C-alpha cells in the first residue's frame, strides 16, 4: 500500500519523536558557578598504587563542558594504555615527575609542569620515579559529553 506525501508528512514527526525517546538520555550537567571544592569533600577511588577523585563536571554559561579530577600514581604505574579522544586535556603536575607519551614521543616533566594533550592525539602518562606522583587534569569536553 503506497503512502501519500501528506501521510508521510504526518508520520515523520511521530517517527522522529519516537526515535528521540529511544535514545538514552544524558544526565544534565550543572552550570558552573563560583564555588569552593574543599579537598576533604572528595574521597579517592582506587588503591595505593593508583587512585583518583573527580571534583566536578560542569558547563560554562555558554554550554561548554569542563571536567576536573586529580590522579595519584605509584612508582612505575601507567595511568592507562595509550589512547585518544575528541576532547583536549590539560595536566598540572604537583608532586613527583610524570612521563608523558605524546604520539609515541616520551618526555618526563617535574612537579610544577603543565602538559597539554590535543584532540584525537595518542597519549598516556606513567610515573617513572620512585615516589608517588600527583597531577590534576582539566578535560575540555566541549558541547557534548
Amino acid at each position: 500500500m503506497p503512502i501519500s506525501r501528506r501521510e508521510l508528512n504526518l508520520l515523520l514527526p511521530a517517527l522522529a519523536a519516537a526515535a528521540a525517546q529511544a535514545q538514552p538520555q544524558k544526565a544534565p550537567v550543572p552550570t558552573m558557578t563560583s564555588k569552593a571544592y574543599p579537598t576533604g569533600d572528595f574521597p579517592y577511588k582506587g588503591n595505593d598504587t593508583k587512585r583518583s577523585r573527580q571534583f566536578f563536571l560542569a558547563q560554562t554559561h555558554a554550554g561548554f563542558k569542563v571536567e576536573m579530577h586529580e590522579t595519584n600514581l605509584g612508582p612505575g604505574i601507567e595511568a592507562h594504555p595509550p589512547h585518544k579522544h575528541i576532547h583536549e586535556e590539560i595536566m598540572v603536575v604537583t608532586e613527583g615527575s610524570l612521563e608523558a607519551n605524546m604520539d609515541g614521543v616520551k618526555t618526563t616533566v617535574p612537579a610544577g609542569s603543565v602538559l597539554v594533550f590535543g584532540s584525537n592525539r595518542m597519549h598516556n602518562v606513567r610515573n617513572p620515579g620512585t615516589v608517588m606522583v600527583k597531577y590534576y587534569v582539566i578535560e575540555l569536553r566541549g558541547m557534548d559529553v
Side-chain angles (χ1 to χ4, degrees), residues 91-120:
M91 289 186 178
V92 181
V93 183
T94 59
E95 295 177 21
S97 59
L98 196 60
E99 178 187 81
N101 175 358
M102 296 179 272
D103 290 321
V105 177
K106 295 180 181 179
T107 185
T108 301
V109 297
S113 300
V114 174
L115 298 164
V116 177
F117 300 112
S119 174
N120 286 317

PDB file of all heavy atoms in Angstrom, residues 91-120:
ATOM      1  N   MET A  91      47.077  18.864  31.950  1.00  0.00           N
ATOM      2  CA  MET A  91      47.522  18.241  33.197  1.00  0.00           C
ATOM      3  C   MET A  91      48.502  19.164  33.893  1.00  0.00           C
ATOM      4  O   MET A  91      49.402  19.702  33.253  1.00  0.00           O
ATOM      5  CB  MET A  91      48.214  16.905  32.934  1.00  0.00           C
ATOM      6  CG  MET A  91      47.305  15.816  32.485  1.00  0.00           C
ATOM      7  SD  MET A  91      48.210  14.251  32.382  1.00  0.00           S
ATOM      8  CE  MET A  91      46.869  13.193  31.904  1.00  0.00           C
ATOM      9  N   VAL A  92      48.336  19.303  35.207  1.00  0.00           N
ATOM     10  CA  VAL A  92      49.251  20.081  36.033  1.00  0.00           C
ATOM     11  C   VAL A  92      49.871  19.117  37.045  1.00  0.00           C
ATOM     12  O   VAL A  92      49.157  18.556  37.881  1.00  0.00           O
ATOM     13  CB  VAL A  92      48.512  21.226  36.758  1.00  0.00           C
ATOM     14  CG1 VAL A  92      49.487  22.032  37.604  1.00  0.00           C
ATOM     15  CG2 VAL A  92      47.793  22.123  35.750  1.00  0.00           C
ATOM     16  N   VAL A  93      51.186  18.919  36.944  1.00  0.00           N
ATOM     17  CA  VAL A  93      51.896  18.003  37.838  1.00  0.00           C
ATOM     18  C   VAL A  93      52.244  18.776  39.112  1.00  0.00           C
ATOM     19  O   VAL A  93      52.905  19.816  39.041  1.00  0.00           O
ATOM     20  CB  VAL A  93      53.179  17.457  37.175  1.00  0.00           C
ATOM     21  CG1 VAL A  93      53.874  16.453  38.085  1.00  0.00           C
ATOM     22  CG2 VAL A  93      52.870  16.843  35.816  1.00  0.00           C
ATOM     23  N   THR A  94      51.817  18.269  40.271  1.00  0.00           N
ATOM     24  CA  THR A  94      52.067  18.986  41.525  1.00  0.00           C
ATOM     25  C   THR A  94      53.066  18.281  42.437  1.00  0.00           C
ATOM     26  O   THR A  94      53.652  18.924  43.301  1.00  0.00           O
ATOM     27  CB  THR A  94      50.754  19.228  42.297  1.00  0.00           C
ATOM     28  OG1 THR A  94      50.149  17.973  42.584  1.00  0.00           O
ATOM     29  CG2 THR A  94      49.813  20.107  41.493  1.00  0.00           C
ATOM     30  N   GLU A  95      53.235  16.972  42.277  1.00  0.00           N
ATOM     31  CA  GLU A  95      54.203  16.225  43.086  1.00  0.00           C
ATOM     32  C   GLU A  95      54.831  15.143  42.228  1.00  0.00           C
ATOM     33  O   GLU A  95      54.155  14.522  41.420  1.00  0.00           O
ATOM     34  CB  GLU A  95      53.525  15.577  44.298  1.00  0.00           C
ATOM     35  CG  GLU A  95      52.962  16.555  45.301  1.00  0.00           C
ATOM     36  CD  GLU A  95      52.232  15.854  46.441  1.00  0.00           C
ATOM     37  OE1 GLU A  95      52.469  14.655  46.686  1.00  0.00           O
ATOM     38  OE2 GLU A  95      51.409  16.531  47.085  1.00  0.00           O
ATOM     39  N   GLY A  96      56.145  14.893  42.423  1.00  0.00           N
ATOM     40  CA  GLY A  96      56.845  13.853  41.685  1.00  0.00           C
ATOM     41  C   GLY A  96      57.140  14.279  40.257  1.00  0.00           C
ATOM     42  O   GLY A  96      57.164  15.472  39.940  1.00  0.00           O
ATOM     43  N   SER A  97      57.366  13.297  39.397  1.00  0.00           N
ATOM     44  CA  SER A  97      57.598  13.574  37.974  1.00  0.00           C
ATOM     45  C   SER A  97      56.707  12.649  37.160  1.00  0.00           C
ATOM     46  O   SER A  97      56.324  11.571  37.616  1.00  0.00           O
ATOM     47  CB  SER A  97      59.069  13.385  37.606  1.00  0.00           C
ATOM     48  OG  SER A  97      59.488  12.066  37.877  1.00  0.00           O
ATOM     49  N   LEU A  98      56.389  13.066  35.954  1.00  0.00           N
ATOM     50  CA  LEU A  98      55.437  12.347  35.114  1.00  0.00           C
ATOM     51  C   LEU A  98      56.022  12.189  33.718  1.00  0.00           C
ATOM     52  O   LEU A  98      56.520  13.152  33.127  1.00  0.00           O
ATOM     53  CB  LEU A  98      54.123  13.125  35.053  1.00  0.00           C
ATOM     54  CG  LEU A  98      52.885  12.401  34.546  1.00  0.00           C
ATOM     55  CD1 LEU A  98      52.553  11.199  35.427  1.00  0.00           C
ATOM     56  CD2 LEU A  98      51.697  13.353  34.513  1.00  0.00           C
ATOM     57  N   GLU A  99      55.989  10.964  33.205  1.00  0.00           N
ATOM     58  CA  GLU A  99      56.422  10.703  31.836  1.00  0.00           C
ATOM     59  C   GLU A  99      55.188  10.751  30.936  1.00  0.00           C
ATOM     60  O   GLU A  99      54.231   9.993  31.145  1.00  0.00           O
ATOM     61  CB  GLU A  99      57.075   9.326  31.723  1.00  0.00           C
ATOM     62  CG  GLU A  99      57.503   8.987  30.301  1.00  0.00           C
ATOM     63  CD  GLU A  99      57.998   7.560  30.197  1.00  0.00           C
ATOM     64  OE1 GLU A  99      57.143   6.646  30.098  1.00  0.00           O
ATOM     65  OE2 GLU A  99      59.218   7.367  30.254  1.00  0.00           O
ATOM     66  N   ALA A 100      55.203  11.642  29.970  1.00  0.00           N
ATOM     67  CA  ALA A 100      54.090  11.781  29.030  1.00  0.00           C
ATOM     68  C   ALA A 100      54.475  11.166  27.696  1.00  0.00           C
ATOM     69  O   ALA A 100      55.557  11.438  27.164  1.00  0.00           O
ATOM     70  CB  ALA A 100      53.749  13.252  28.844  1.00  0.00           C
ATOM     71  N   ASN A 101      53.595  10.343  27.182  1.00  0.00           N
ATOM     72  CA  ASN A 101      53.748   9.765  25.852  1.00  0.00           C
ATOM     73  C   ASN A 101      52.783  10.518  24.947  1.00  0.00           C
ATOM     74  O   ASN A 101      51.573  10.397  25.090  1.00  0.00           O
ATOM     75  CB  ASN A 101      53.410   8.271  25.906  1.00  0.00           C
ATOM     76  CG  ASN A 101      53.430   7.614  24.545  1.00  0.00           C
ATOM     77  OD1 ASN A 101      53.662   8.251  23.518  1.00  0.00           O
ATOM     78  ND2 ASN A 101      53.175   6.321  24.539  1.00  0.00           N
ATOM     79  N   MET A 102      53.336  11.312  24.024  1.00  0.00           N
ATOM     80  CA  MET A 102      52.514  12.106  23.111  1.00  0.00           C
ATOM     81  C   MET A 102      52.837  11.679  21.694  1.00  0.00           C
ATOM     82  O   MET A 102      53.931  11.953  21.196  1.00  0.00           O
ATOM     83  CB  MET A 102      52.783  13.598  23.322  1.00  0.00           C
ATOM     84  CG  MET A 102      52.373  14.070  24.704  1.00  0.00           C
ATOM     85  SD  MET A 102      52.689  15.823  25.004  1.00  0.00           S
ATOM     86  CE  MET A 102      54.364  15.751  25.615  1.00  0.00           C
ATOM     87  N   ASP A 103      51.918  10.945  21.077  1.00  0.00           N
ATOM     88  CA  ASP A 103      52.119  10.423  19.725  1.00  0.00           C
ATOM     89  C   ASP A 103      53.402   9.605  19.615  1.00  0.00           C
ATOM     90  O   ASP A 103      54.130   9.680  18.629  1.00  0.00           O
ATOM     91  CB  ASP A 103      52.122  11.558  18.700  1.00  0.00           C
ATOM     92  CG  ASP A 103      50.755  12.185  18.513  1.00  0.00           C
ATOM     93  OD1 ASP A 103      49.756  11.442  18.517  1.00  0.00           O
ATOM     94  OD2 ASP A 103      50.683  13.414  18.374  1.00  0.00           O
ATOM     95  N   GLY A 104      53.725   8.824  20.671  1.00  0.00           N
ATOM     96  CA  GLY A 104      54.899   7.962  20.659  1.00  0.00           C
ATOM     97  C   GLY A 104      56.183   8.635  21.108  1.00  0.00           C
ATOM     98  O   GLY A 104      57.203   7.973  21.259  1.00  0.00           O
ATOM     99  N   VAL A 105      56.153   9.930  21.322  1.00  0.00           N
ATOM    100  CA  VAL A 105      57.324  10.659  21.811  1.00  0.00           C
ATOM    101  C   VAL A 105      57.163  10.825  23.315  1.00  0.00           C
ATOM    102  O   VAL A 105      56.168  11.385  23.782  1.00  0.00           O
ATOM    103  CB  VAL A 105      57.458  12.040  21.120  1.00  0.00           C
ATOM    104  CG1 VAL A 105      58.627  12.807  21.693  1.00  0.00           C
ATOM    105  CG2 VAL A 105      57.580  11.879  19.616  1.00  0.00           C
ATOM    106  N   LYS A 106      58.155  10.328  24.075  1.00  0.00           N
ATOM    107  CA  LYS A 106      58.067  10.381  25.532  1.00  0.00           C
ATOM    108  C   LYS A 106      58.936  11.498  26.084  1.00  0.00           C
ATOM    109  O   LYS A 106      60.061  11.703  25.637  1.00  0.00           O
ATOM    110  CB  LYS A 106      58.486   9.041  26.127  1.00  0.00           C
ATOM    111  CG  LYS A 106      57.528   7.922  25.749  1.00  0.00           C
ATOM    112  CD  LYS A 106      57.941   6.603  26.322  1.00  0.00           C
ATOM    113  CE  LYS A 106      56.953   5.517  25.879  1.00  0.00           C
ATOM    114  NZ  LYS A 106      57.333   4.215  26.393  1.00  0.00           N
ATOM    115  N   THR A 107      58.373  12.222  27.047  1.00  0.00           N
ATOM    116  CA  THR A 107      59.103  13.280  27.741  1.00  0.00           C
ATOM    117  C   THR A 107      58.727  13.224  29.209  1.00  0.00           C
ATOM    118  O   THR A 107      57.576  12.942  29.546  1.00  0.00           O
ATOM    119  CB  THR A 107      58.801  14.664  27.129  1.00  0.00           C
ATOM    120  OG1 THR A 107      59.619  15.638  27.755  1.00  0.00           O
ATOM    121  CG2 THR A 107      57.355  15.048  27.276  1.00  0.00           C
ATOM    122  N   THR A 108      59.705  13.458  30.071  1.00  0.00           N
ATOM    123  CA  THR A 108      59.463  13.441  31.512  1.00  0.00           C
ATOM    124  C   THR A 108      59.539  14.857  32.046  1.00  0.00           C
ATOM    125  O   THR A 108      60.471  15.599  31.718  1.00  0.00           O
ATOM    126  CB  THR A 108      60.492  12.544  32.217  1.00  0.00           C
ATOM    127  OG1 THR A 108      60.380  11.211  31.688  1.00  0.00           O
ATOM    128  CG2 THR A 108      60.243  12.498  33.716  1.00  0.00           C
ATOM    129  N   VAL A 109      58.532  15.220  32.854  1.00  0.00           N
ATOM    130  CA  VAL A 109      58.469  16.573  33.405  1.00  0.00           C
ATOM    131  C   VAL A 109      58.359  16.507  34.923  1.00  0.00           C
ATOM    132  O   VAL A 109      57.757  15.588  35.470  1.00  0.00           O
ATOM    133  CB  VAL A 109      57.292  17.381  32.812  1.00  0.00           C
ATOM    134  CG1 VAL A 109      57.472  17.556  31.306  1.00  0.00           C
ATOM    135  CG2 VAL A 109      55.960  16.717  33.110  1.00  0.00           C
ATOM    136  N   PRO A 110      58.949  17.493  35.634  1.00  0.00           N
ATOM    137  CA  PRO A 110      58.890  17.519  37.092  1.00  0.00           C
ATOM    138  C   PRO A 110      57.642  18.240  37.598  1.00  0.00           C
ATOM    139  O   PRO A 110      56.902  18.862  36.825  1.00  0.00           O
ATOM    140  CB  PRO A 110      60.151  18.308  37.459  1.00  0.00           C
ATOM    141  CG  PRO A 110      60.299  19.288  36.335  1.00  0.00           C
ATOM    142  CD  PRO A 110      59.848  18.527  35.104  1.00  0.00           C
ATOM    143  N   ALA A 111      57.450  18.200  38.914  1.00  0.00           N
ATOM    144  CA  ALA A 111      56.364  18.940  39.563  1.00  0.00           C
ATOM    145  C   ALA A 111      56.448  20.406  39.165  1.00  0.00           C
ATOM    146  O   ALA A 111      57.533  20.960  39.011  1.00  0.00           O
ATOM    147  CB  ALA A 111      56.467  18.798  41.075  1.00  0.00           C
ATOM    148  N   GLY A 112      55.290  21.018  38.983  1.00  0.00           N
ATOM    149  CA  GLY A 112      55.216  22.404  38.538  1.00  0.00           C
ATOM    150  C   GLY A 112      55.032  22.519  37.038  1.00  0.00           C
ATOM    151  O   GLY A 112      54.810  23.615  36.525  1.00  0.00           O
ATOM    152  N   SER A 113      55.103  21.398  36.336  1.00  0.00           N
ATOM    153  CA  SER A 113      54.969  21.402  34.874  1.00  0.00           C
ATOM    154  C   SER A 113      53.524  21.234  34.441  1.00  0.00           C
ATOM    155  O   SER A 113      52.687  20.729  35.184  1.00  0.00           O
ATOM    156  CB  SER A 113      55.799  20.268  34.267  1.00  0.00           C
ATOM    157  OG  SER A 113      57.160  20.410  34.587  1.00  0.00           O
ATOM    158  N   VAL A 114      53.271  21.657  33.209  1.00  0.00           N
ATOM    159  CA  VAL A 114      51.948  21.538  32.597  1.00  0.00           C
ATOM    160  C   VAL A 114      52.096  20.742  31.306  1.00  0.00           C
ATOM    161  O   VAL A 114      53.032  20.968  30.533  1.00  0.00           O
ATOM    162  CB  VAL A 114      51.350  22.931  32.297  1.00  0.00           C
ATOM    163  CG1 VAL A 114      50.039  22.809  31.536  1.00  0.00           C
ATOM    164  CG2 VAL A 114      51.162  23.720  33.589  1.00  0.00           C
ATOM    165  N   LEU A 115      51.169  19.812  31.075  1.00  0.00           N
ATOM    166  CA  LEU A 115      51.111  19.032  29.837  1.00  0.00           C
ATOM    167  C   LEU A 115      49.778  19.312  29.157  1.00  0.00           C
ATOM    168  O   LEU A 115      48.754  19.457  29.833  1.00  0.00           O
ATOM    169  CB  LEU A 115      51.205  17.533  30.134  1.00  0.00           C
ATOM    170  CG  LEU A 115      52.487  17.046  30.793  1.00  0.00           C
ATOM    171  CD1 LEU A 115      52.283  15.657  31.377  1.00  0.00           C
ATOM    172  CD2 LEU A 115      53.611  17.041  29.773  1.00  0.00           C
ATOM    173  N   VAL A 116      49.793  19.358  27.842  1.00  0.00           N
ATOM    174  CA  VAL A 116      48.559  19.537  27.074  1.00  0.00           C
ATOM    175  C   VAL A 116      48.477  18.420  26.053  1.00  0.00           C
ATOM    176  O   VAL A 116      49.442  18.170  25.316  1.00  0.00           O
ATOM    177  CB  VAL A 116      48.534  20.913  26.363  1.00  0.00           C
ATOM    178  CG1 VAL A 116      47.281  21.035  25.507  1.00  0.00           C
ATOM    179  CG2 VAL A 116      48.618  22.042  27.374  1.00  0.00           C
ATOM    180  N   PHE A 117      47.340  17.738  26.016  1.00  0.00           N
ATOM    181  CA  PHE A 117      47.082  16.693  25.035  1.00  0.00           C
ATOM    182  C   PHE A 117      45.995  17.183  24.096  1.00  0.00           C
ATOM    183  O   PHE A 117      44.889  17.493  24.530  1.00  0.00           O
ATOM    184  CB  PHE A 117      46.649  15.393  25.713  1.00  0.00           C
ATOM    185  CG  PHE A 117      47.690  14.846  26.653  1.00  0.00           C
ATOM    186  CD1 PHE A 117      47.474  14.828  28.014  1.00  0.00           C
ATOM    187  CD2 PHE A 117      48.896  14.364  26.167  1.00  0.00           C
ATOM    188  CE1 PHE A 117      48.426  14.341  28.879  1.00  0.00           C
ATOM    189  CE2 PHE A 117      49.871  13.869  27.024  1.00  0.00           C
ATOM    190  CZ  PHE A 117      49.639  13.859  28.383  1.00  0.00           C
ATOM    191  N   GLY A 118      46.317  17.265  22.805  1.00  0.00           N
ATOM    192  CA  GLY A 118      45.381  17.774  21.809  1.00  0.00           C
ATOM    193  C   GLY A 118      44.307  16.764  21.430  1.00  0.00           C
ATOM    194  O   GLY A 118      44.412  15.565  21.718  1.00  0.00           O
ATOM    195  N   SER A 119      43.310  17.258  20.763  1.00  0.00           N
ATOM    196  CA  SER A 119      42.188  16.443  20.302  1.00  0.00           C
ATOM    197  C   SER A 119      42.668  15.349  19.347  1.00  0.00           C
ATOM    198  O   SER A 119      43.449  15.602  18.430  1.00  0.00           O
ATOM    199  CB  SER A 119      41.181  17.342  19.583  1.00  0.00           C
ATOM    200  OG  SER A 119      40.157  16.572  19.002  1.00  0.00           O
ATOM    201  N   ASN A 120      42.183  14.130  19.592  1.00  0.00           N
ATOM    202  CA  ASN A 120      42.470  12.975  18.744  1.00  0.00           C
ATOM    203  C   ASN A 120      43.960  12.690  18.572  1.00  0.00           C
ATOM    204  O   ASN A 120      44.375  12.203  17.525  1.00  0.00           O
ATOM    205  CB  ASN A 120      41.778  13.122  17.384  1.00  0.00           C
ATOM    206  CG  ASN A 120      40.299  12.884  17.494  1.00  0.00           C
ATOM    207  OD1 ASN A 120      39.865  11.947  18.172  1.00  0.00           O
ATOM    208  ND2 ASN A 120      39.504  13.736  16.883  1.00  0.00           N
TER     209      ASN A 120
END
